[in-house]
Amino acid sequence: MKHESIVIKYPERIFQPENSEVNFYDDLPDLYDFFYNEKSENRRFFITDGNVASLDCMQKLIEVFNDDVYEDDCLLVLGSGEKYKNLDSVLTIVKMAMEHGFTVRDTFIGIGGGVICDLVAFAASIYKRGINLQLIPTTLLAMVDAAIGGKTGCDVDNLKNMIGTVYPASKIHIFSDFTQFTSDKQFKSGLAQVFKTAFVKDSELFDQIKNNSDLILSRDKALLQKMIKSCIKAKVQIMQEEAKKDSEKGCLHLGLTFASALETMIGLGILTNGEAVAWGISRAVTISWNKGYCSTAFKDQMLSLLNLYGWETGAIPALVTGGSFAERLIKIMHNDKKNLTEKIRLTLPKEVGQVVIEDVDDSEILKALK
């Protein structure tokens, strides 16, 4: 029999930095000069991947560690791509930090795309129960999504982000010029995240996407920097508003439940996250239209805009093979961590700046996948 209960109320974010400082830069620097112009009081553990390590701006930094000049700081280069977003990579980071004696007063610095940002942030959150974290996102997706908001994690058994924490970086350094070096596939993956955020929060940004496709796809530097800043501000505002409300959260989950299930079905890394999210948005707007939440004109505009940027909007993506696609996808969607009942929780668009979050019957989802 229970004799006594005590409720402990912790201060908000007691184990995390109170704020994340997001710094924007006009030019892409030599990252050795960026970090070593002034001596740091604390040691730094740089973690990146093979693709980023090959960039010119990284060479001087890497050469320093190859020559073993700096005994206090360390550098780790991981493999590139979604297949390395696993617990083995997290443990590689943690074990190297242990071997080199990093303390909680030191800093992990992740330099890379969404995979690196998620992995390094997760490792930082669990290393000695939390070490200081800085991020330099190098892809558009990481700049507007993975590095912002504090979500961390890794994949488990082909299921996306099944293990993770919330652990914001103390500093995030945004060099928009990094977007000039990514592949078209990766660039458009980030654009899908910009599209999603603009749709749910920033009508001005949404109009820029709608009216400036040529400039955006040619990676106009001035416009991209403006879009990245707008997207980050919109995402931060959404998070702040949702934190204050007792109502359902998750407007930024638009298309995400479909996307995660699709990536799991065909294999993580086959599609970029943005490609999967864009397809997921097309299915969400179709369900919204089927339920009478949005007009035909709105549905057609959304699908047309997704097609304009080359994203798939058909019921069955071209990469899918085998039968019973809808049934297989729905089965995976039932495992989504956002579900709270036996139904599947979806974010459905009504119009720009307005969504509804609700639990949806399998039959309604099935209809949008046929």
Side-chain angles (χ1 to χ4, degrees):
M1 180 181 294
K2 182 168 66 176
H3 175 66
E4 184 180 3
S5 297
I6 298 175
V7 176
I8 301 173
K9 293 185 177 181
Y10 292 108
E12 187 177 0
R13 297 190 180 280
I14 187 172
F15 301 119
Q16 299 167 0
E18 216 175 286
N19 301 293
S20 291
E21 179 184 301
V22 183
N23 301 305
F24 298 91
Y25 305 89
D26 291 329
D27 300 309
L28 191 61
D30 181 304
L31 289 184
Y32 169 82
D33 293 337
F34 181 76
F35 283 108
Y36 286 101
N37 272 335
E38 298 180 4
K39 183 170 178 58
S40 173
E41 295 181 2
N42 302 315
R43 298 174 63 203
R44 293 170 291 194
F45 184 12
F46 300 94
I47 304 106
T48 189
D49 65 28
N51 286 340
V52 177
S54 68
L55 297 176
D56 289 343
C57 65
M58 290 287 292
Q59 297 315 299
K60 190 175 177 181
L61 181 66
I62 290 173
E63 287 168 7
V64 164
F65 290 103
N66 287 341
D67 294 336
D68 293 325
V69 173
Y70 282 90
E71 296 179 359
D72 288 338
D73 294 346
C74 290
L75 170 71
L76 172 63
V77 180
L78 295 171
S80 303
E82 191 75 28
K83 67 180 180 179
Y84 293 99
K85 192 179 179 181
N86 52 43
L87 279 172
D88 287 340
S89 295
V90 175
L91 290 176
T92 297
I93 297 169
V94 169
K95 288 178 180 178
M96 186 168 176
M98 291 172 60
E99 289 168 2
H100 288 82
F102 280 88
T103 74
V104 292
R105 293 183 177 180
D106 298 321
T107 302
F108 283 9
I109 300 176
I111 308 172
V115 170
I116 286 293
C117 287
D118 282 355
L119 282 177
V120 176
F122 184 34
S125 73
I126 62 174
Y127 181 72
K128 298 188 176 181
R129 297 180 177 172
I131 189 171
N132 184 47
L133 170 68
Q134 294 186 33
L135 295 173
I136 299 183
T138 61
T139 65
L140 182 57
L141 183 145
M143 292 176 193
V144 301
D145 185 54
I148 308 299
K151 289 184 179 180
T152 82
C154 66
D155 307 331
V156 178
D157 293 338
N158 206 41
L159 294 173
K160 197 170 182 69
N161 293 327
M162 289 304 290
I163 296 179
T165 58
V166 178
Y167 196 78
S170 61
K171 291 184 179 181
I172 302 164
H173 306 289
I174 305 289
F175 300 94
S176 57
D177 277 7
F178 269 118
T179 60
Q180 304 299 319
F181 300 100
T182 55
S183 67
D184 286 342
K185 193 177 181 73
Q186 286 296 333
F187 179 71
K188 288 172 67 176
S189 179
L191 276 182
Q193 296 292 342
V194 176
F195 177 91
K196 178 186 69 175
T197 305
F199 171 80
V200 300
K201 189 60 183 176
D202 192 327
S203 59
E204 182 179 342
L205 179 57
F206 186 81
D207 286 340
Q208 288 178 344
I209 295 170
K210 185 171 63 175
N211 299 324
N212 296 291
S213 60
D214 289 342
L215 279 176
I216 292 170
L217 290 173
S218 66
R219 309 190 197 189
D220 180 82
K221 290 185 178 184
L223 182 56
L224 274 180
Q225 189 173 78
K226 182 179 179 181
M227 289 173 60
I228 291 167
K229 288 181 181 179
S230 296
C231 200
I232 292 173
K233 290 176 181 177
K235 182 171 182 177
V236 169
Q237 188 175 354
I238 289 168
M239 293 188 298
Q240 290 172 340
E241 290 173 354
E242 289 185 340
K244 294 176 182 177
K245 294 178 181 177
D246 294 327
S247 59
E248 296 291 352
K249 302 177 182 179
C251 64
L252 284 174
H253 293 156
L254 176 64
L256 195 56
T257 303
F258 282 105
S260 296
L262 179 62
E263 288 183 85
T264 295
M265 174 185 288
I266 66 174
L268 297 180
I270 303 299
L271 282 175
T272 65
N273 181 251
E275 288 173 321
V277 166
W279 176 79
I281 292 173
S282 78
R283 295 307 87 208
V285 74
T286 299
I287 292 175
S288 185
W289 179 72
N290 287 339
K291 291 171 71 69
Y293 291 167
C294 69
S295 66
T296 300
F298 172 79
K299 181 200 69 164
D300 291 345
Q301 180 193 48
M302 287 285 285
L303 296 181
S304 176
L305 188 54
L306 290 168
N307 286 325
L308 178 65
Y309 282 90
W311 294 311
E312 285 199 63
T313 58
I316 302 177
L319 283 174
V320 172
T321 58
S324 304
F325 164 69
E327 292 78 7
R328 287 186 291 150
L329 191 80
I330 290 172
K331 184 177 180 179
I332 298 171
M333 291 172 73
H334 273 288
N335 291 324
D336 193 279
K337 56 185 175 290
K338 297 183 290 297
N339 296 333
L340 300 177
T341 69
E342 71 279 1
K343 294 183 179 181
I344 295 170
R345 175 150 295 196
L346 294 177
T347 300
L348 303 175
K350 288 188 170 183
E351 58 184 50
V352 176
Q354 186 177 357
V355 298
V356 59
I357 301 165
E358 65 178 45
D359 299 329
V360 179
D361 290 329
D362 287 5
S363 59
E364 294 173 309
I365 299 173
L366 190 64
K367 187 177 178 182
L369 296 173
K370 296 291 188 178

